[in-house]
Amino acid sequence: MVIKEIDKKLREDIKDFRGSIVISRGQVHSLDTLPGYAVLIGDKITGIITYNISDGACEIVSLDSKLEGQGIGTKLIDLVIVKARESNCERVWLITSNDNIRAIRFYQKRGFDIKAVHQDVITEARKIKPSIPLVGFDGIPVRHEIEFEFILNPLYYTSLT
């Protein structure tokens, strides 16, 4: 397993791995323009993380792993936290949907706290990206965004890798 910063060549492969846009808090993010990291086994992508640094905060825009339970997501988050600290960010934040119970558990176990619940914004996001499903994991209707944050304070951070 090798972790690489996303470069021009990897951007083409990421489109096939993940898709090209993500919507969070009403903002459309084009994944092929964002910085991030990819996990490769051989020449095959098995995980990616993309992020956006703005106004003293670092948003994790996407995090995907094809091999769950291997520590890939945790390693990728750790790399983004290091990058956010180097960029003098005050916090790292992200959005997940209300149906993604596994992600909700995953982020809390890694020190992220629920900051806000943005009700019915996914319903609005479907106007931009109609491929967002109406029903998600475990038959839960997909309607709300849950915002998580990780405050970049040394007292709160312990690497889980």
Side-chain angles (χ1 to χ4, degrees):
M1 177 172 65
V2 175
I3 300 177
K4 291 182 159 185
E5 277 197 71
I6 295 173
D7 60 17
K8 194 174 195 175
K9 183 199 176 310
L10 285 172
R11 288 190 193 289
E12 292 302 315
D13 296 336
I14 287 170
K15 286 180 188 176
D16 295 332
F17 179 81
R18 170 63 167 88
S20 59
I21 69 165
V22 170
I23 302 171
S24 65
R25 301 290 323 272
Q27 181 177 352
V28 178
H29 297 277
S30 206
L31 295 183
D32 61 353
T33 64
L34 294 174
Y37 299 93
V39 176
L40 303 163
I41 295 180
D43 61 350
K44 185 176 174 125
I45 296 175
T46 58
I48 65 162
I49 192 166
T50 60
Y51 63 92
N52 184 43
I53 294 177
S54 176
D55 299 323
C58 177
E59 178 183 6
I60 294 175
V61 177
S62 69
L63 173 62
D64 298 280
S65 176
K66 297 287 185 191
L67 300 173
E68 292 187 18
Q70 305 293 311
I72 290 171
T74 301
K75 287 178 183 161
L76 291 171
I77 286 173
D78 284 347
L79 287 169
V80 170
I81 287 173
V82 167
K83 187 65 80 172
R85 284 184 192 279
E86 290 171 352
S87 300
N88 297 314
C89 293
E90 295 175 8
R91 72 185 192 123
V92 176
W93 67 282
L94 59 92
I95 295 290
T96 194
S97 56
N98 65 284
D99 69 307
N100 199 344
I101 304 302
R102 292 171 84 183
I104 292 166
R105 179 175 49 243
F106 175 83
Y107 293 122
Q108 289 182 89
K109 286 175 71 174
R110 280 144 191 89
F112 285 78
D113 288 322
I114 295 173
K115 171 75 173 174
V117 176
H118 305 285
Q119 293 189 310
D120 291 316
V121 296
I122 294 178
T123 303
E124 287 300 309
R126 275 191 199 90
K127 294 175 183 173
I128 299 166
K129 187 178 177 183
S131 63
I132 298 171
L134 292 171
V135 178
F137 298 109
D138 300 318
I140 299 171
V142 181
R143 296 178 38 213
H144 315 299
E145 289 181 343
I146 300 175
E147 180 177 342
F148 284 89
E149 76 174 355
F150 184 95
I151 302 299
L152 293 176
N153 177 330
L155 298 175
Y156 291 97
Y157 180 67
T158 303
S159 175
L160 299 174
T161 58

